[in-house]
Amino acid sequence: MAGKGKRITEFNEAIQDIQDGATIIVGGFGLSGIPENLILALVEKGTKDLTIVSNNCGVDDWGLGLLLANKQIKKMVASYVGENKIFEKQFLSEELEVELVPQGTLAERIRAGGAGIPGFYTPTGVGTQIAEGKELRHFNGRPHILEKGIIGDFAFVKAWRGDLLGNLVYRKTARNFNPLAATAGRVTIAEVEQMVEVGNLDPDEIHTPGIYVQRILEGKNYVKRIERRTVIPTKITIEG
C-alpha cells in the first residue's frame, strides 16, 4: 500500500496486514456506529487469537458477534457484555478471556492511550474486583487505582463523512467511542459512508483530524441494525 496515499478501495486490502494475535480497538456502541464492513472483511480473512477492545461485542449474528461466532477472538476488553449468547457460552467454557472495565474508565483508557498518557488514577472500581492487582494511592483523602492507557495495533472506526486526507465527521449517536478509538491505533482504518474531496468538509465540523487516520475507504450497503426496538404501545379507544 506504500505510495498509494490513505485511500483504499477494497476492504480486504485495508486489513491485509492484520496478523493473528493482533490487538484491535473498535469504535461503536453496541450496533450503533460500528465499522461493519471492516468487521465483515476480518471475518472473511479469518485472523485468529485477536484481542478486541470495544464497549461491547455486538449481538450473536452481527457486528463483533460475527468474530465470536467464527472463534477469532481470544480476549475481549469491554464494559458491557449482556447482548450476546455466544459470548456467554464461550466465556463460561473458558474459550474466551474477558477483561471487564467500567465504561467511563474504558473510554478514558483509550483516550489516554491515544494521547500518549501511560496511566491515570481513578476512584472508579476501588473496593471491587476491578481493583485487584492494581496500584492504590490516595488523593485528597480518597483512594484511587491506577489504570493503564490502551493502544491498539490497529483501530477500526466508522464515520459519516471523510475526505482523502482522513479527516472524519461522525453523525449523531454513531460518534460514541469512534473519536477515541481513532486516536489510539498504531494504524487507524476508517470506513465512511461518504467520501468527499479535500476542502469539502467544514474545518469547524471535523471531529477526527486526518493525522490520526492511516487508511480510509468508502463503504456501501450499510445495515445499521438496532439491538432492541422499543415502541410506544398503541392506545385503543373504544367508543360506545
Side-chain angles (χ1 to χ4, degrees), residues 65-130:
L66 296 173
L67 292 173
L68 269 183
N70 211 28
K71 296 189 175 182
Q72 293 176 250
I73 302 178
K74 178 181 180 181
K75 178 179 180 180
M76 188 74 203
V77 181
S79 66
Y80 177 67
V81 296
E83 299 288 347
N84 194 311
K85 293 179 181 177
I86 296 176
F87 188 107
E88 178 185 6
K89 181 179 179 181
Q90 291 187 4
F91 174 67
L92 293 176
S93 63
E94 299 183 349
E95 294 178 77
L96 177 68
E97 183 181 350
V98 178
E99 180 180 348
L100 284 176
V101 184
Q103 193 167 90
T105 300
L106 179 63
E108 181 60 11
R109 287 183 65 187
I110 298 171
R111 191 203 69 81
I117 300 170
F120 60 92
Y121 290 93
T122 175
T124 302
V126 171
T128 73
Q129 290 184 338
I130 297 293

Side-chain angles (χ1 to χ4, degrees), residues 19 21-22 24 42 47-52 72-75:
Q19 302 296 320
I24 307 175
L42 196 58
T47 310
K48 301 288 187 181
D49 298 326
L50 298 169
T51 293
I52 300 294
Q72 293 176 250
I73 302 178
K74 178 181 180 181
K75 178 179 180 180

Side-chain angles (χ1 to χ4, degrees), residues 155-177:
F156 287 180
V157 300
K158 158 76 186 311
W160 175 43
R161 305 182 77 194
D163 67 18
L164 300 177
L165 294 178
N167 296 303
L168 304 177
V169 177
Y170 308 98
R171 188 170 186 269
K172 301 185 183 297
T173 55
R175 189 169 173 180
N176 56 65
F177 274 75

Side-chain angles (χ1 to χ4, degrees), residues 3 14 17 25 33 47 51-52 57 70 76 104 137 141 145 149 155 158 171 184 192 195 210 213-214 226 228-229:
D17 55 347
I25 302 174
T47 310
T51 293
I52 300 294
C57 203
N70 211 28
M76 188 74 203
R137 293 186 64 179
I145 55 175
K158 158 76 186 311
R171 188 170 186 269
V192 300
M195 185 83 76
V213 177
Q214 282 69 50
I226 299 172
R228 294 187 183 186
R229 184 179 182 186

Side-chain angles (χ1 to χ4, degrees), residues 5-44:
K6 294 183 178 180
R7 186 175 191 179
I8 307 294
T9 56
E10 301 295 333
F11 280 85
N12 59 355
E13 182 183 2
I15 64 159
Q16 66 178 353
D17 55 347
I18 298 178
Q19 302 296 320
D20 291 352
T23 294
I24 307 175
I25 302 174
V26 181
F29 192 111
L31 299 181
S32 175
I34 62 171
E36 53 192 68
N37 287 296
L38 285 168
I39 293 170
L40 288 171
L42 196 58
V43 171
E44 185 174 346

Side-chain angles (χ1 to χ4, degrees), residues 144-161:
H144 293 64
I145 55 175
L146 176 63
E147 295 281 4
K148 296 180 179 178
I150 298 175
I151 298 174
D153 299 311
F154 294 86
F156 287 180
V157 300
K158 158 76 186 311
W160 175 43
R161 305 182 77 194

